[in-house]
Amino acid sequence: MSVLIVGSTALDSIKTPKAENPRLLGGSASHAAVAASFFSPVKLVGVVGDDFPRRYIQLYKRHRIDLEGLQMLPGKTFHWSGEYELNMNNRRTLLTELGVFETFTPTLPKAHQGSEFVLLANIAPSLQSHVLNQTRRPRFVIADTMDLWLNIALADLLALIKRLDAFVLNDSEAHQLTKEDNVFAAMKKIHRLGPKYVVIKKGSHGSILSGPKGFFICPAYPLHKVVDPTGAGDSFVGGMIGCLATARGSIDDNIRRAMIYGSVVASYCCEGFGLTRTTRVKRSDIEQRVKELERLTRF
Amino acid sequence: MSVLIVGSTALDSIKTPKAENPRLLGGSASHAAVAASFFSPVKLVGVVGDDFPRRYIQLYKRHRIDLEGLQMLPGKTFHWSGEYELNMNNRRTLLTELGVFETFTPTLPKAHQGSEFVLLANIAPSLQSHVLNQTRRPRFVIADTMDLWLNIALADLLALIKRLDAFVLNDSEAHQLTKEDNVFAAMKKIHRLGPKYVVIKKGSHGSILSGPKGFFICPAYPLHKVVDPTGAGDSFVGGMIGCLATARGSIDDNIRRAMIYGSVVASYCCEGFGLTRTTRVKRSDIEQRVKELERLTRF
């Protein structure tokens, strides 16, 4: 089963005290699509400008990502520029140029409308809903978001959340949305907004699932060095839905293991700037870290 | 096998926006001793003043804690007073009265000197070393600490760490000690200071073990409401060593499961002020949460 992924497709310029990395391939949909591609065929929906480097189209293609839904418009590709401090924990946005993204309206090619697994990666919730409106009864819809939309488009986001099977957000966003400090109490409140599955991302502390079979405490893979965490959350949810789309059995049967796979792809994402490390990963590398996570959590 | 526990024995007055809880039984050794008592006999070493309530002596006795090493001196019991904010996350110390603790020199009764399992719960590292000096080749020595000793007694602490089998500290203390942001890199540096086992506590995010068999990612039990986290870390390490002291096989074979048991006792500790919840727990309650943690982490 293939996965439909909509989100941002961007160029990221990432500065650290030691290096500059101009115009890396980035954006929520790029990270999620590459992550999902390890497990299932992917259909990407997004927009880029006419400055979008040809080598990034090639990169998508090497991951067998279907680009029929990727619009290429006259103008500039969405460009984000940020700077990390020495400890890699604090990130500061230097520049955001929306470019062709400013007027982007995602239109699903006919072949995409029957997609059974849909990932609405982080973009404006109105666009996420717009994509969902064009699909026909997908089997599983999962969405991610960011604090920006909680601040400037909360009504749109709440309207979207109602329609989701699964909603993914990080712990500070969950707190912002529910006014609950306790993550488990926050998840309970988020269920009441609609989704059957709620996933809270906690960065290096892993993630937590709340679903019909109760909670699942999902570990992060232990990394001794984080080079660039940009896109880790997108990689996590991308790996997760890629896994779900190809697993046999029910979502309930597979969602825990899918989170583990997502967690492993996210760990590779953190080990290089942009997608530079993830794109060098082999399926066997992923399986090895999954096995390690089994050993690391057994008692 | 019994466990020898030295640490503070105190009266804690804990204020929250909703309640005042004056002169609860507290202190690192009290929490650790009650936690360990669920699994093994405990010998407590500490000091109290002549104001120490008789009911707390009874409480220790109900947990079959050997009090031969508990000195009762003329003067006041160590008294700590703190206030929590509404969200229970931020704690502010209002008052610290050392009382008889100021001149405390722990002396081990003869019967305690051959103890095979020794927990040096959080007190000044010079006192922890002083206790260790009085023991005869214990099989397993574990110590906890706090940021205060990193600030005012670092040399003493480093001298102690060299002599430990296991060292337990929280993530911010590990960062302070090693100047490493990354918790796995920090653990590697702490091994070089001496201990074979390093355990980093991360509060509601669980804990991590680094030992000869690699890492273990230990979950925290999911709590929907934290009433009072005071003593949770002490309960964790107390439960852990209590478990180790009675388990068959090597430390390596048992330390993961011992951490799970410690984590569960710590979860009960957080559900009431001081020791009020922990002292109502039955062994069967603990086993139930251990089983739940098995289910919550399986994938």
Side-chain angles (χ1 to χ4, degrees), chain A residues 25 30 34 53-65 67 275-276 279:
Chain A
L25 178 57
S30 302
V34 170
R54 206 166 163 73
R55 67 181 183 281
Y56 294 155
I57 296 288
Q58 296 306 326
L59 185 157
Y60 287 141
K61 286 186 174 167
R62 273 201 305 281
H63 284 266
R64 299 170 314 285
I65 295 168
L67 300 179
L275 277 155
T276 52
T279 49

Side-chain angles (χ1 to χ4, degrees), chain B residues 122 124-125 145-158 172-173 175-177 179:
Chain B
N122 172 37
T145 194
M146 73 183 289
D147 52 354
L148 175 68
W149 313 120
L150 288 163
N151 292 329
I152 69 168
L154 183 59
D156 288 350
L157 183 62
L158 290 171
S172 66
E173 291 154 6
H175 167 61
Q176 190 182 339
L177 179 61
K179 315 291 174 243

Side-chain angles (χ1 to χ4, degrees), chain B residues 59-76:
Chain B
L59 186 158
Y60 287 140
K61 286 186 175 166
R62 272 200 305 281
H63 284 266
R64 299 169 313 283
I65 295 168
D66 179 331
L67 300 178
E68 197 191 335
L70 182 68
Q71 300 174 36
M72 190 174 283
L73 299 180
K76 283 186 178 293

Side-chain angles (χ1 to χ4, degrees), chain A residues 35-40 242-243 246 257 261 264-265 268 278 280-290:
Chain A
S37 76
F38 291 109
F39 311 101
S40 87
C243 229
T246 44
R257 212 159 172 87
Y261 276 89
V264 164
V265 182
Y268 284 115
T278 313
R280 286 187 294 114
V281 166
K282 289 194 287 290
R283 178 67 190 258
S284 57
D285 299 325
I286 295 172
E287 296 299 338
Q288 193 197 314
R289 286 198 175 175
V290 167

Side-chain angles (χ1 to χ4, degrees), chain A residues 181-182 223 256 295 298, chain B residues 87 182 223 256 295 298:
Chain A
D181 282 307
N182 182 292
L223 289 178
R256 289 172 167 226
R295 278 195 297 273
R298 200 180 295 149
Chain B
N87 65 14
N182 182 291
L223 289 178
R256 289 173 167 226
R295 278 195 296 273
R298 200 180 294 149

